[in-house]
């Protein structure tokens, strides 16, 4: 098809492109350089995805090393210092290189412009720079591993982080660069959503993933600079001996906790809000029903972003802050659960009496709801002033954190990868293997982390290298569960990679989605669309009909009779 006029969302006519039948963003330019210097948001999204999954593999190795060491009391694999370095690297890699950038940078970069009917993000060069900032930060983290890995934990708590002889400054600078990557991505998304929507695409015709990414971008821009400044202050204290956080120099270590958690608790929502957006896309498609309570879900994302800035103090209940401050932070902590609950009830209402299809993306979305509920409900105990005194810094916190971040964010991320995989690469994966891998991941996850709730209630401290024999049974269950989960992830990697070579060609709309990205070919052409789609309700499935001969859904401009 030649000579198609493509108009971008600002109304400016773009140069004519000649699209061959097989021309798409994957084949438009070949060679490694065409990928490393690309300005195409889709290729940048794929680059992010490859990097993040590689980081996940590395972080997972450290997780298995930790669980192997804890299989039995005493030394099993490494000494105490090496163990401290393992859990520091595991936490830093998973938080800064996987969970935070995962959905916004990889999936968001790929689908956000298409969901808006745009040909790219607002600032393509800044988009590529954001990717290389993330890679540069990771390089500094690798250097710190070689020169003496940090042993502080991923929170870098003072005063220990100011006096340890390990390479804390190197990994801190890496985290600083990663923070800039997050800020640039958030800025790019905000401008893109405001100014590059297709003509006629109003705010309440946007997919809910866009609302989630918009709220996330607000947090990225406002909260991440606080972390950057805090990390620079800690580096300055280590190198120049300035007394900011070290009490021996007149500093206040609790001040570091306030600075750190003022960013890091909103960062929880940098992680969870995009995951909620992904789930909001998957559930209505596989329930064959319009999303229930669209505006409530949309505005709840904004509410979470706002309230999330006000609850950081619940991490400091036992740090000596006043009783009044504790009461205020406890009340706000309960309040932030309300908009999250709004989303959950609306998802359940969407599924009620729906024609539910249990394909792999839907299985991960359902697991998100269950595991996130467990994480949220156990968070009530940690938000309670009296209960937190006993549970603080125990394995109960570890389990709660992983049910929220891994059971929530990571499950949604994997579900999103499966959901948009045919669109990204034009190939279908093996559905049977997808379901088997999901079962292994789900069972392995619960076997790993549920026993940790029981350990925490009985007083088992987190981050300890050794432990009393009474906790050995729980640790054995956790270790076995970790390896079961690893098998599930390896199986997932196998069939996804295999699909790139042997997978069946993917139709434009294999799942029956109604948002813009499902109205272009799989994989999409270089400019995303051969013509900009007409803006409609992204959850209107009445205009979709199943075409059996091509195994895809076809979009009709008018709803079929009957």
């Amino acid at each position: 098809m030649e000579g198609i006029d493509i108009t971008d969302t600002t109304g400016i006519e773009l140069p004519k492109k000649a699209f061959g039948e097989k021309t798409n963003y994957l084949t438009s330019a070949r060679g490694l350089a065409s990928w490393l210097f690309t300005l195409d948001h889709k290729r940048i999204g794929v680059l992010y995805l490859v990097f993040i999954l590689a980081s996940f593999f590395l972080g997972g190795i450290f997780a298995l090393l930790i669980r192997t060491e804890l299989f039995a009391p005493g030394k099993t694999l490494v000494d105490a210092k090496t163990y401290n370095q393992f859990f520091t690297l595991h936490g830093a890699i998973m938080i800064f290189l996987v969970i935070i950038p995962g959905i916004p940078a990889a999936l968001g970069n790929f689908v956000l412009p298409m969901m808006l009917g745009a040909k790219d993000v607002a600032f393509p060069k800044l988009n590529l720079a954001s990717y290389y900032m993330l890679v540069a930060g990771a390089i500094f983290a690798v250097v710190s591993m070689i020169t003496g890995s940090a042993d502080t934990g991923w929170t870098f708590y003072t005063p220990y982080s100011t006096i340890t002889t390990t390479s804390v400054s190197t990994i801190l600078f890496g985290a600083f660069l990663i923070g800039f990557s997050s800020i640039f991505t958030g800025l790019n998304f905000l401008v893109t959503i405001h100014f590059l929507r297709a003509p006629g695409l109003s705010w309440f015709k946007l997919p809910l993933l866009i609302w989630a990414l918009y709220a996330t971008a607000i947090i990225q821009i406002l909260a991440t600079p606080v972390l950057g400044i805090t990390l620079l202050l800690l580096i300055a204290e280590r190198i120049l001996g300035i007394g900011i956080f070290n009490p021996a120099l007149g500093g206040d270590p609790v001040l570091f906790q306030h600075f750190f958690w003022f960013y890091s608790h909103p960062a929880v929502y940098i992680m969870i809000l995009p995951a909620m957006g992904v789930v909001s896309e998957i559930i209505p498609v596989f329930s064959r029903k319009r999303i229930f309570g669209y505006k409530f879900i949309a505005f709840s994302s904004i509410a979470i972003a706002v309230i999330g800035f006000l609850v950081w103090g619940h991490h400091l209940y036992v740090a000596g802050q006043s009783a009044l401050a504790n009461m205020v932070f406890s009340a706000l902590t309960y309040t932030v659960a309300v908009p999250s609950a709004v989303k959950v009830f609306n998802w359940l209402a969407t599924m009620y009496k729906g024609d539910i299809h249990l394909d792999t993306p839907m299985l991960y979305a359902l697991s998100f709801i269950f595991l996130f509920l467990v994480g949220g409900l156990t968070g009530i105990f940690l938000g309670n002033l009296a209960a937190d005194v006993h549970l603080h810094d125990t394995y109960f916190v570890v389990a709660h954190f992983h049910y929220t971040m891994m059971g929530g964010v990571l499950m949604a991320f994997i579900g999103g990868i499966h959901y948009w995989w045919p669109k990204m690469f034009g190939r279908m994966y093996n559905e049977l293997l997808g379901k088997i891998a999901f079962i292994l991941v789900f069972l392995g996850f619960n076997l790993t982390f549920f026993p940790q709730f029981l350990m925490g209630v009985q007083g088992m401290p987190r981050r300890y290298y050794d432990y009393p024999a009474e906790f050995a049974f729980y640790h054995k269950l956790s270790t076995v569960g970790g390896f079961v989960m690893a098998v599930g992830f390896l199986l997932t990697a196998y069939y996804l990679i295999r699909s790139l070579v042997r997978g069946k060609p993917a139709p434009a709309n294999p799942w029956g989605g109604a948002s813009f990205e499902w109205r272009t070919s799989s994989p999409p052409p270089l400019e995303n669309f051969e013509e900009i789609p007409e803006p409609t309700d992204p959850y209107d499935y009445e205009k979709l009909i199943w075409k059996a001969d091509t195994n895809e859904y076809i979009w009709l401009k008018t709803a079929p009779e009957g």
Side-chain angles (χ1 to χ4, degrees), residues 38-202:
T38 183
L39 298 181
D40 180 11
H41 72 95
K42 299 180 290 299
R43 286 193 167 193
I44 293 174
V46 172
L47 289 174
Y48 268 117
L49 182 63
V50 172
F51 176 82
I52 289 165
L53 292 178
S55 300
F56 176 63
F57 178 76
L58 180 60
I61 290 176
F62 284 118
L64 293 179
L65 291 173
I66 293 168
R67 290 309 329 160
T68 302
E69 173 54 44
L70 293 174
F71 185 76
K75 180 179 179 180
T76 305
L77 189 67
V78 295
D79 59 20
K81 181 177 178 60
T82 305
Y83 171 81
N84 290 343
Q85 293 171 329
F86 281 175
F87 76 67
T88 299
L89 289 168
H90 166 70
I93 290 170
M94 288 300 197
I95 295 295
F96 295 114
L97 298 181
V98 179
I99 301 296
I100 289 180
I103 295 176
L107 300 182
N109 247 308
F110 192 91
V111 302
L112 181 141
M114 286 192 288
M115 284 184 163
L116 298 173
K119 69 183 181 68
D120 211 313
V121 293
F123 308 114
K125 291 182 180 179
L126 185 65
N127 198 20
L128 183 62
S130 301
Y131 170 73
Y132 282 114
M133 292 287 280
L134 180 69
V135 173
I139 291 173
F140 274 93
V142 171
V143 170
S144 75
M145 292 169 55
I146 297 172
T147 58
S149 299
D151 57 354
T152 60
W154 73 272
T155 55
F156 310 115
Y157 268 5
T158 58
Y160 180 69
S161 60
T162 64
I163 60 175
T164 178
T165 57
T166 55
S167 296
V168 173
S169 297
T170 307
I171 197 170
L172 286 175
F173 189 70
F176 177 79
L177 293 177
I178 293 168
F180 264 99
S181 172
S182 182
I183 293 170
F184 290 160
T185 298
L187 176 64
N188 221 337
F189 284 4
L190 274 183
V191 177
T192 303
I193 294 169
H194 271 281
F195 294 106
L196 295 186
R197 301 195 305 275
L201 186 62
S202 64

Side-chain angles (χ1 to χ4, degrees), residues 484-508:
V484 171
M485 187 164 41
V487 171
F489 285 132
L490 289 174
L491 179 59
T492 302
Y494 164 74
Y495 67 74
L496 288 180
I497 295 173
R498 185 177 184 272
S499 73
L500 298 177
V501 179
R502 298 187 179 181
K504 295 180 180 179

Side-chain angles (χ1 to χ4, degrees), residues 6 41 69 172 182 212 232 269 287 294 404 504:
I6 296 181
H41 72 95
E69 173 54 44
L172 286 175
S182 182
L232 286 181
Y269 303 110
S287 300
Y294 172 95
T404 306
K504 295 180 180 179

Side-chain angles (χ1 to χ4, degrees), residues 158-409:
T158 58
Y160 180 69
S161 60
T162 64
I163 60 175
T164 178
T165 57
T166 55
S167 296
V168 173
S169 297
T170 307
I171 197 170
L172 286 175
F173 189 70
F176 177 79
L177 293 177
I178 293 168
F180 264 99
S181 172
S182 182
I183 293 170
F184 290 160
T185 298
L187 176 64
N188 221 337
F189 284 4
L190 274 183
V191 177
T192 303
I193 294 169
H194 271 281
F195 294 106
L196 295 186
R197 301 195 305 275
L201 186 62
S202 64
W203 282 92
F204 294 114
K205 288 183 180 179
L206 294 177
L208 288 167
L209 177 61
I210 300 297
W211 280 93
L213 291 174
Y214 185 84
T216 302
I218 293 173
I219 303 174
Q220 288 173 300
I221 293 173
L222 296 181
T224 310
V226 178
L227 175 68
I229 293 170
T230 304
L231 297 180
L232 286 181
L233 289 175
L234 184 52
I235 292 172
E237 177 145 327
R238 284 183 56 86
I239 296 175
L240 304 176
I242 301 172
I244 303 171
F245 305 121
N246 189 344
L249 300 174
D252 183 1
V254 178
L255 178 63
F256 176 86
Q257 293 190 41
H258 279 286
F259 283 171
F260 183 85
W261 288 113
F262 184 81
Y263 160 78
S264 292
H265 200 84
V268 169
Y269 303 110
I270 292 177
M271 307 176 217
I272 203 68
L273 275 171
M276 291 174 167
V278 169
V279 172
S280 296
E281 296 304 314
I282 293 175
I283 284 179
V285 169
F286 290 94
S287 300
R288 310 311 306 155
K289 276 185 64 181
R290 186 187 302 272
I291 192 75
F292 184 88
Y294 172 95
K295 290 186 178 180
F296 283 96
I297 297 177
F299 287 132
S300 67
S301 294
I302 306 300
I304 289 172
V306 174
I307 301 173
F309 277 96
L310 307 175
V311 299
W312 80 90
H314 68 214
H315 293 273
L316 289 88
Y317 284 162
V318 297
Q321 64 186 5
S322 70
L324 176 61
N326 280 344
M327 290 172 60
V328 170
F329 282 122
S330 180
L332 289 170
T333 299
Y334 289 131
T335 302
V336 79
V338 174
S340 298
V342 167
K343 291 181 183 293
V344 172
F345 284 118
N346 279 277
W347 293 331
L348 296 177
T350 301
M351 290 187 287
Y352 179 65
K353 292 187 176 181
D355 181 17
I356 296 176
H357 294 253
L358 293 178
D359 294 305
T360 304
M362 186 62 165
L363 292 175
Y364 280 103
L366 293 175
S367 72
F368 170 93
I369 296 176
F370 173 75
L371 299 175
F372 180 73
L373 275 175
V374 174
L377 292 173
T378 53
I380 293 175
F381 297 99
L382 298 174
N384 181 276
L385 295 173
D388 186 69
V389 172
H390 172 66
L391 297 173
H392 189 83
D393 268 344
T394 68
Y395 261 85
F396 191 94
V397 178
V398 176
H400 159 74
F401 182 84
H402 282 83
Y403 265 89
T404 306
M405 292 296 99
M406 187 175 182
V409 179

